[in-house]
Amino acid sequence: MKIVVVGGVAAGASVAARARRLDEFAEIVVLERGHHVSFANCGLPYHVGEVIADRSRLLLQTPESLRESLDIDVRVGHEVLGIDRAAKTVTVREVDGGRSYEEPYDELALCTGAEPLRPPLPGIDLAGVHVLRRIGDMDAIKAHLDAAIALAATGARGPVRTVVIGAGYIGLEMAENLKHRGALVDVVEMSDQILPPLDHEMSVPVEHHLRSRGITPAPVDCGRSVRGPPRRRTQRRTH
């Protein structure tokens, strides 16, 4: 039995581990487009905020550790481009090298996850506008923030101003950690309250707490566009 799992991180790694526990003799291959197969998603904002200083603490498993512990063949940087159900093969492209090949399977699990929502706003693709979903996103945000804070510390620029679009769980964690680093933070939310999944009565105390910490939730539906930052100013958007 050969099982191919498309996607790693939470769903794909869990499926592969469960498959191994159910069949100790199966050949299990995990194909992950990114370069990390298992990491602590909820910790990403806290590394940006340097609350979790050691980046390696976010990496829960590696291809090597999964091979050693569960005999799972994990291939990071491998993107699945197509499925031939009749032939029972998937077309795979190596992200870094560009080589493509066919990988056969007996059973196939699709655990591709989701892409971060990028609102269709003018300017959403400008430099300095980020999403936060993967380790690479976190690294890019932290590098941008570190550079801006370093310039501000020397007096070469003014205070670091940041904007977070989305006042859900990750958005507010990001806002908290940007504030922890000393940035000025505004939060924009399309809904009529922060933390939209919660009842309004539960979100109000959280909003009061944010304001007491100097984080400003913006009025409803005020996010219309993203403009290029003025010279020596930084804008940031994250989920």
Side-chain angles (χ1 to χ4, degrees):
M1 170 72 72
K2 180 175 182 179
I3 303 169
V4 171
V5 180
V6 181
V9 197
S14 298
V15 166
R18 180 61 176 164
R20 171 58 69 224
R21 293 185 178 96
L22 294 174
D23 187 343
E24 62 178 307
F25 301 108
E27 179 184 359
I28 303 173
V29 178
V30 176
L31 302 169
E32 165 58 40
R33 181 178 62 180
H35 289 81
H36 303 89
V37 67
S38 179
F39 56 88
N41 308 63
C42 294
L44 301 184
Y46 295 94
H47 181 62
V48 174
E50 298 187 341
V51 176
I52 300 176
D54 185 356
R55 180 179 179 275
S56 66
R57 291 182 59 193
L58 301 175
L59 305 178
L60 305 178
Q61 296 283 354
T62 65
E64 294 75 20
S65 67
L66 287 171
R67 167 68 79 179
E68 181 178 351
S69 62
L70 295 172
D71 192 24
I72 296 173
D73 179 5
V74 176
R75 305 174 194 173
V76 294
H78 283 65
E79 181 180 17
V80 173
L81 302 178
I83 302 171
D84 187 332
R85 294 186 178 182
K88 283 199 163 186
T89 63
V90 292
T91 302
V92 186
R93 180 180 68 89
E94 294 179 354
V95 172
D96 295 330
R99 182 179 73 93
S100 295
Y101 63 93
E102 302 296 316
E103 187 72 28
Y105 66 84
D106 295 308
E107 298 291 340
L108 181 66
L110 301 179
C111 307
T112 55
E115 290 295 322
L117 174 64
R118 298 181 69 93
L121 301 174
I124 200 67
D125 294 321
L126 289 173
V129 180
H130 301 274
V131 296
L132 180 63
R133 185 170 182 84
R134 302 180 176 89
I135 292 284
D137 301 331
M138 175 195 73
D139 290 338
I141 292 171
K142 190 171 187 305
H144 196 150
L145 181 64
D146 289 349
I149 289 174
L151 285 175
T154 65
R157 53 156 295 160
V160 178
R161 304 188 63 89
T162 63
V163 175
V164 176
I165 297 182
Y169 302 116
I170 301 300
L172 294 188
E173 288 176 352
M174 195 67 207
E176 174 190 18
N177 281 279
L178 292 170
K179 184 65 177 179
H180 183 70
R181 293 291 307 276
L184 302 177
V185 184
D186 291 291
V187 178
V188 176
E189 169 57 47
M190 181 175 64
S191 179
D192 61 354
Q193 67 174 60
I194 64 170
L195 295 173
L198 302 184
D199 291 340
H200 180 70
E201 292 79 3
M202 299 175 68
S203 71
V204 171
V206 180
E207 180 174 341
H208 290 165
H209 176 73
L210 289 176
R211 293 185 183 279
S212 72
R213 299 294 298 272
I215 299 173
T216 306
V220 176
D221 199 28
C222 71
R224 296 293 188 180
S225 66
V226 180
R227 298 181 181 180
R231 188 176 183 181
R232 293 184 177 176
R233 293 182 66 182
T234 300
Q235 289 185 339
R236 186 172 306 281
R237 171 252 184 186
T238 182
H239 286 292

